[in-house]
Amino acid sequence: MKQIKVKFALNPQETVLFKVDGSYLKSKWQAKPGALCLTNERIVVEGKSMTAFLLFGVIGWLLTRKKVIKEFPLTDITNFSRGKQGFNKKVAVFELLDGSTIRMAITGKWEVFEAAYHKAMLDVKPLFSIN
């Protein structure tokens, strides 16, 4: 299996299952380019600051480090659905326990991302038990 490299620190028993490029949709008019990393414990959105691009151009943007924009554990997700933003129909919508909604536009094939997400969620312990 191919090792996926990330810039953020992983927990001791954590492994990266899937990584896809996209844009973190902060609001209807604001998006931050980045990557969505799916691990067996959490989802991490990492990206670069666009300030360096505005100040120093492409070279400044290439020299900046990636940082974690948003992260949340898989156990906090109450609902996952496919949304849309403008003409883009590949938007992952995560609803969390605290009532907030996180939206991420996905590049590439939606079916591959969705299969990786559902596979990761199978290993997560359920919040409620029937027994």
Side-chain angles (χ1 to χ4, degrees):
M1 186 171 181
K2 185 178 168 185
Q3 182 89 17
I4 300 172
K5 295 183 180 181
V6 292
K7 299 287 183 181
F8 57 90
L10 294 172
N11 297 334
Q13 298 297 322
E14 189 175 22
T15 57
V16 179
L17 304 174
F18 191 74
K19 182 176 181 180
V20 65
D21 290 329
S23 297
Y24 169 59
L25 303 172
K26 290 182 78 170
S27 66
K28 188 174 182 178
W29 301 103
Q30 188 178 12
K32 288 187 147 205
L36 184 135
C37 301
L38 179 65
T39 70
N40 58 342
E41 296 178 7
R42 61 188 169 152
I43 292 179
V44 179
V45 180
E46 63 177 359
K48 290 186 176 185
S49 173
M50 292 305 288
T51 308
F53 177 73
L54 294 174
L55 295 175
F56 303 109
V58 175
I59 294 172
W61 186 77
L62 290 172
L63 293 176
T64 58
R65 293 177 174 236
K66 286 186 176 180
K67 66 176 187 172
V68 174
I69 298 173
K70 197 78 163 169
E71 69 175 295
F72 51 94
L74 292 176
T75 55
D76 284 358
I77 298 173
T78 58
N79 192 18
F80 168 73
S81 61
R82 182 177 184 173
K84 66 182 261 183
Q85 175 89 7
F87 293 114
N88 187 1
K89 294 180 181 174
K90 296 187 288 185
V91 176
V93 180
F94 301 100
E95 294 177 17
L96 304 180
L97 283 174
D98 61 359
S100 63
T101 302
I102 296 174
R103 303 176 73 223
M104 181 80 183
I106 305 295
T107 59
K109 295 209 177 256
W110 173 262
E111 293 79 17
V112 176
F113 167 73
E114 189 175 32
Y117 171 77
H118 287 301
K119 183 179 177 189
M121 288 303 284
L122 286 176
D123 298 332
V124 176
K125 294 179 184 175
L127 291 173
F128 305 103
S129 176
I130 297 173
N131 298 334

